[in-house]
Amino acid sequence: MLVLRVDLVTGVLLLAAAVAAYWWWRYRGPGRTSSARRPGGRITGAGRSADARARELRTPLVRIATAAGITTRAEALARRSQIGAEGERYVAQLLAPLTADGWAFLADRRLPRGKANIDLLAISPTGRVYVLDPKKWDRRHRLRVRDGRLWHGEWDVSKRLKPLRYETATVSSLLGVKAIPIAVMVGPMRPGTQLRYDGILLVPAEDICHVLRRLDAQHVPTQRSAHLVDTAERLLPPKTGRTSR
């Protein structure tokens, strides 16, 4: 009986080791790449920190107040974060087809200093870097540039692009490249239109794949794409939790 038990335990351990070895070879073995670089892979992690922020703001007291019909600033901020997360996931879905062409996307990445994060970092097969900032704004009001300011309907929203400039400058410094900032607008821009404001390109979300392909076609290819992805993954870790591999 003792010998039978030992053989059974040994068999289970060998089976577990074989399964572990297979999965290591399948996803981590020689020549394998991370999910950010695997052709046709999903873009994981988009909107994760915005969702976490919404959950953090919705404390039990805030939930009770909301259920009672009482509007609180915390609930308003939570809804804004939730809307932002939805916009990030929507844009990530639109970008997914580019992964089959060799594009890499890193979502929800933490900067070395401060609380800001990069919503989506795109690295093209030619080695060009784009900092993408999805923004889901009310589609009833259109965007326009007037008198050197950015307007969403009758609201001056110029300051809302300031974080994107900081994020782009930080990425450029960390990776040693000139990153390109793009505000990807969900809602307030018609497909086929573009705006430029203070060095930032604003495009409708539905056009983002076309815009990235067009911009990248103007870039002289380099051999640094894989190196840039590795460096970005190391210097810009996930802001919340872990990304899938």
Side-chain angles (χ1 to χ4, degrees), residues 141-214:
H141 308 288
R142 295 298 174 184
L143 281 176
R144 66 186 188 280
V145 176
R146 186 184 70 195
D147 301 328
R149 310 290 293 177
L150 180 66
W151 297 84
H152 181 212
E154 296 303 315
W155 294 273
D156 184 345
V157 293
S158 306
K159 292 183 178 179
R160 296 183 68 176
L161 293 185
K162 185 176 180 180
L164 178 55
R165 289 193 290 272
Y166 169 72
E167 293 157 16
T168 304
T170 302
V171 168
S172 298
S173 177
L174 286 173
L175 301 185
V177 298
K178 184 179 179 180
I180 299 174
I182 303 179
V184 188
M185 310 306 300
V186 180
M189 293 184 70
R190 295 185 179 90
T193 63
Q194 290 186 14
L195 291 172
R196 282 193 178 274
Y197 174 72
D198 199 18
I200 295 174
L201 179 63
L202 294 88
V203 302
E206 293 75 13
D207 292 348
I208 186 58
C209 286
H210 169 72
V211 169
L212 288 177
R213 287 189 177 109
R214 178 178 55 78

Side-chain angles (χ1 to χ4, degrees), residues 53 57 62 66 70-80:
R53 176 59 174 160
L57 287 164
V62 170
T66 302
I70 301 173
T71 302
T72 63
R73 182 173 182 272
E75 176 59 26
L77 292 174
R79 288 178 182 174
R80 184 182 299 176

Side-chain angles (χ1 to χ4, degrees), residues 100-117:
D101 298 333
W103 286 72
F105 297 95
L106 305 180
D108 199 24
R109 295 285 160 156
R110 184 172 71 245
L111 295 177
R113 294 179 297 277
K115 296 182 179 181
N117 69 297

Side-chain angles (χ1 to χ4, degrees), residues 78-100:
R79 288 178 182 174
R80 184 182 299 176
S81 293
Q82 198 166 25
I83 291 172
E86 292 170 359
E88 292 173 38
R89 285 191 290 269
Y90 176 66
V91 172
Q93 291 174 358
L94 294 175
L95 290 167
L98 289 181
T99 61

Side-chain angles (χ1 to χ4, degrees), residues 116-138:
N117 69 297
I118 297 171
D119 292 336
L120 282 165
L121 185 71
I123 301 176
S124 78
T126 70
R128 204 168 200 184
V129 178
Y130 305 84
V131 180
L132 308 181
D133 186 11
K135 292 190 177 297
K136 187 177 181 181
W137 291 356
D138 193 335

